[in-house]
Amino acid sequence: MLIRRVAAGIVIACLVVAAVAVAMPYAISTNTVKEGLATQVHELTGYRISYLDDPRLSLRPFLGLKLTDVTLRDEAGPDEEPELLQAEGLNARLEVLPLLFGRIRITDFRLVRPQFHLILRADGSANWRFPGGRIVETLRLAGGDAEQIDAAQRVVLDDGPIPSLGRLEVVDGIIDFENQKTGEREQVTNVNGAIAWPNINSSLQIAGACIWRGEEVRLDAAITDPLPVLAGGVSQLSLAVTSAPMSARFDGTAAMVSGLHVEGEASVETPSLRRMIRFFGGPQDQAPASGALVVRGMVSANEQEIRFTDSTVSIGESQSSGLVQLSRQGDGRLVVSGTLAFDTLDLTPYLRSLAAGRETGGENGPRAELGLPGGFDLDVRLSAEQAVLGETLVSGLAAASTLRDEVFKLDVGEASMFGGTVSGKFEAMVADGGLAMSADAKLTGVDMGTLSRTWYTGEIFPEGIGDIDLKLKSGGNAFATVVDELSGNLRLSIANGKISGVDLDKAAAALEDKSVPVTIGALAGETAFDQLELELSIFRGVAWILKGETVGPANRVRLFGKADLYRGGLAINADIDPATPADGTDAAPARIFFGGTIRTPLVTRAPVPALGRN
């Protein structure tokens, strides 16, 4: 009998609870819900909520209410500003027990197709900063406690004014951001995710994804003790941002020390440096080489700077160690600075990008741009035991790169190359809708034979120890135009060397028939000299000989004419003035014309003007 009575009591109790639950949506006053919801939102955030129709209560999938055309507005903002939040719908879970006593208490929110309008006003105020409410009060109390305790002491606050925050879910949202100071605008679409913070002493977790700048971006974050951090404590923090252009991870601690401060291990990775630069606002047509970039190390960050220490930075196959720092200046610009030391730095991909840029599209090809996103400055020191540029090796490289006010500069200190030393500088800037650049290089004591075989494809070239002084400049709207418009001058000086590929001493005899051109093979050999001086004026890729002279034991040779450095055409005269033989007889001077192309020159004998010896 007892068991039956207990069972009957349980059944009756269940029926009563079920009846109450079913009847509750009909028994609760709509005005009670409206007033309770508006009061809770206002007490929590300081904002006023409005919606089109009266709230509708439902039992599925839980006891809750539904609202349509929800808006949230910053009442302190200008009248012409859009609402902070506009949503097609809001679903909220209600706690049953407070509801039985006529109180509205919401634990979970779901915003359906919300659109957030985040505005940073010209005066520095922002519409997303809570004007008041329990959240602001709790943060103020935590900040007050922080001023009264030792920074290292961990403080756990009681529930205080916010007993429960619950879970906020966003479904198919949009975030519009406007910076009225700079005119910058951004839009994030397809926002889907949730923020879970059951109460202020529990962990806070964020998980979600969105579409930003055409790419899917996922965010996962967790902080163990979010509120105690504000009271001077320390909390574990983990953060992961993943997308196709780049990924970033952090695992460490967070604390409030004159602002938010985090320390721990971090990494930033991208499979394509070009793609990441484009993702962060760089030009679409032209960017630096597309190798991967990986930055790993210990990070220390606050609201103004992020500093990677004991870090490794890998660019393509090149790996370095050093310091990398990102800091924000007073005008809002970012500065990327650091010192990186490479064992081997491979710059070959950049050279290939330059070549590909010239060969693609001509004047209608890739635009001439710095290939970097705007809004930041650069100040990085680089060093490398060995730098690789195609088949060229540079040892002991030390360089400084800067970017300020859209002017990029690269200064190379004294390094070793081709048995000698090299130093120089390069500068590029945005000008007249395109790019203007200049370059200076000095090579001293270099092996001209090795240099020529590495950089030059022709059969005739000088050998010996020489000095080179090169100055170039160019500009244009298309990348190919910048390359084609290269102009400047080159000076070359060699002592005690030779010209490989041609024997000018036998040229007159080999070219007795003046009307028949011969290939350079007919003059194969070499011509020794005591001194070579060459000065070229380069205009739009064509090198004009201003001065060309070799003085040797058998003759003096003067050169004049031009060579097309891009198309390879040759039109050069060589006046050969033989030295006076020991017997005192005069040797006949000769003029040889080199035509054809640099790779396959054709040689003929030309009429000789009146030549005198100096």
Side-chain angles (χ1 to χ4, degrees):
M1 294 293 292
L2 180 60
I3 296 177
R4 290 182 180 179
R5 292 177 181 176
V6 171
I10 294 175
V11 171
I12 293 171
C14 291
L15 291 174
V16 171
V17 171
V20 171
V22 171
M24 191 172 292
Y26 305 98
I28 298 174
S29 167
T30 301
N31 289 332
T32 301
V33 174
K34 290 173 62 176
E35 294 174 1
L37 177 63
T39 299
Q40 182 168 344
V41 171
H42 183 67
E43 289 181 353
L44 192 65
T45 67
Y47 293 117
R48 295 290 183 183
I49 188 173
S50 61
Y51 32 87
L52 181 61
D53 299 318
D54 288 338
R56 292 184 293 109
L57 295 173
S58 64
L59 288 175
R60 297 178 181 179
F62 46 73
L63 178 63
L65 59 86
K66 295 182 179 181
L67 298 89
T68 57
D69 292 336
V70 179
T71 60
L72 205 64
R73 183 177 181 83
D74 179 13
E75 295 178 339
D79 293 337
E80 63 272 14
E81 272 189 2
E83 288 81 1
L84 171 63
L85 167 67
Q86 294 173 304
E88 288 187 13
L90 169 64
N91 300 336
R93 181 195 293 265
L94 298 174
E95 288 191 0
V96 176
L97 189 59
L99 201 58
L100 294 175
F101 294 93
R103 297 196 304 271
I104 300 298
R105 185 164 179 178
I106 301 172
T107 56
D108 294 338
F109 296 86
R110 173 184 287 179
L111 289 169
V112 180
R113 294 185 181 88
Q115 185 165 9
F116 299 89
H117 300 276
L118 306 182
I119 300 175
L120 180 61
R121 304 184 184 103
D123 61 3
S125 63
N127 70 336
W128 67 81
R129 292 170 183 159
F130 295 130
R134 293 181 176 182
I135 293 178
V136 171
E137 179 64 15
T138 301
L139 298 180
R140 187 190 67 78
L141 291 176
D145 289 346
E147 297 175 358
Q148 303 172 19
I149 63 174
D150 186 272
Q153 180 183 0
R154 184 179 187 277
V155 175
V156 178
L157 300 178
D158 295 330
D159 280 352
I162 306 179
S164 177
L165 296 179
R167 186 174 185 271
L168 171 63
E169 182 181 2
V170 175
V171 178
D172 196 19
I174 296 174
I175 300 174
D176 289 314
F177 172 77
E178 178 185 358
N179 187 335
Q180 295 181 347
K181 284 185 175 181
T182 63
E184 176 188 2
R185 291 176 180 270
E186 289 279 359
Q187 185 177 73
V188 181
T189 62
N190 296 81
V191 180
N192 292 278
I195 302 174
W197 193 11
N199 59 72
I200 62 173
N201 283 330
S202 66
S203 64
L204 184 149
Q205 296 184 342
I206 302 174
C210 64
I211 301 296
W212 182 39
R213 296 182 175 179
E215 300 284 355
E216 182 179 4
V217 180
R218 180 165 185 83
L219 170 66
D220 293 280
I223 181 168
T224 306
D225 301 305
L227 198 59
V229 168
L230 299 173
V234 177
S235 174
Q236 291 295 314
L237 170 66
S238 63
L239 175 68
V241 179
T242 55
S243 67
M246 59 86 65
S247 298
R249 295 182 180 277
F250 173 82
D251 190 3
T253 60
M256 290 294 290
V257 182
S258 300
L260 181 64
H261 180 81
V262 299
E263 288 187 351
E265 296 182 0
S267 66
V268 178
E269 302 183 30
T270 175
S272 169
L273 182 58
R274 175 182 288 124
R275 186 172 180 181
M276 186 177 74
I277 288 175
R278 290 174 179 173
F279 181 65
F280 284 106
Q284 297 295 315
D285 293 333
Q286 185 64 34
S290 57
L293 170 69
V294 180
V295 181
R296 290 192 179 96
M298 299 300 297
V299 69
S300 175
N302 56 37
E303 297 172 1
Q304 296 299 320
E305 70 174 23
I306 301 173
R307 179 188 292 262
F308 279 87
T309 57
D310 298 327
S311 61
T312 60
V313 179
S314 299
I315 305 175
E317 300 298 322
S318 304
Q319 182 170 307
S320 69
S321 59
L323 169 70
V324 178
Q325 179 173 307
L326 287 79
S327 57
R328 185 175 295 277
Q329 301 299 299
D331 59 0
R333 291 181 66 84
L334 289 175
V335 178
V336 180
S337 58
T339 303
L340 300 176
F342 292 84
D343 291 330
T344 300
L345 176 60
D346 188 358
L347 299 174
T348 305
Y350 292 84
L351 298 181
R352 291 172 180 165
S353 292
L354 294 176
R358 179 179 181 271
E359 295 171 0
T360 305
E363 293 183 358
N364 298 319
R367 288 187 53 79
E369 300 174 291
L370 288 177
L372 297 169
F376 83 100
D377 295 338
L378 182 72
D379 188 355
V380 177
R381 302 294 188 268
L382 301 172
S383 64
E385 293 292 327
Q386 180 175 272
V388 181
L389 298 90
E391 298 180 3
T392 303
L393 298 180
V394 180
S395 302
L397 174 67
S401 59
T402 61
L403 175 65
R404 293 188 181 92
D405 299 325
E406 295 189 311
V407 178
F408 175 76
K409 295 181 180 181
L410 177 66
D411 291 308
V412 178
E414 194 170 277
S416 298
M417 184 172 70
F418 297 122
T421 60
V422 59
S423 62
K425 59 182 180 180
F426 172 82
E427 182 174 309
M429 67 183 72
V430 176
D432 298 327
L435 192 67
M437 54 81 58
S438 64
D440 293 352
K442 293 183 181 295
L443 290 82
T444 305
V446 297
D447 184 337
M448 289 302 303
T450 304
L451 183 151
S452 300
R453 293 184 183 92
T454 303
W455 288 358
Y456 179 64
T457 59
E459 298 183 20
I460 303 174
F461 54 86
E463 293 196 62
I465 304 303
D467 300 333
I468 299 176
D469 189 350
L470 175 65
K471 298 181 185 297
L472 294 172
K473 63 180 180 179
S474 186
N477 294 328
F479 191 82
T481 304
V482 173
V483 178
D484 289 340
E485 293 289 320
L486 278 176
S487 301
N489 57 71
L490 179 146
R491 291 185 175 89
L492 169 64
S493 177
I494 304 175
N496 301 317
K498 63 183 180 181
I499 299 177
S500 290
V502 61
D503 184 352
L504 295 177
D505 296 337
K506 63 181 182 182
L511 298 170
E512 288 183 0
D513 188 346
K514 300 178 182 179
S515 62
V516 180
V518 299
T519 63
I520 197 65
L523 304 179
E526 58 187 37
T527 302
F529 58 78
D530 300 323
Q531 186 68 37
L532 180 148
E533 297 290 339
L534 180 65
E535 183 176 346
L536 304 177
S537 176
I538 303 170
F539 181 69
R540 293 181 176 176
V542 178
W544 296 82
I545 300 176
L546 301 180
K547 177 183 179 181
E549 184 178 68
T550 67
V551 177
N555 53 49
R556 171 180 289 180
V557 180
R558 295 183 178 90
L559 303 174
F560 57 95
K562 65 178 181 177
D564 191 322
L565 303 179
Y566 295 144
R567 298 174 180 84
L570 279 180
I572 296 177
N573 282 303
D575 286 346
I576 304 173
D577 190 6
T580 302
D583 59 8
T585 60
D586 285 337
R591 169 170 286 183
I592 298 175
F593 177 75
F594 293 86
T597 65
I598 294 174
R599 290 189 175 184
T600 57
L602 296 175
V603 187
T604 58
R605 188 162 179 175
V608 181
L611 296 175
R613 294 186 177 91
N614 293 333

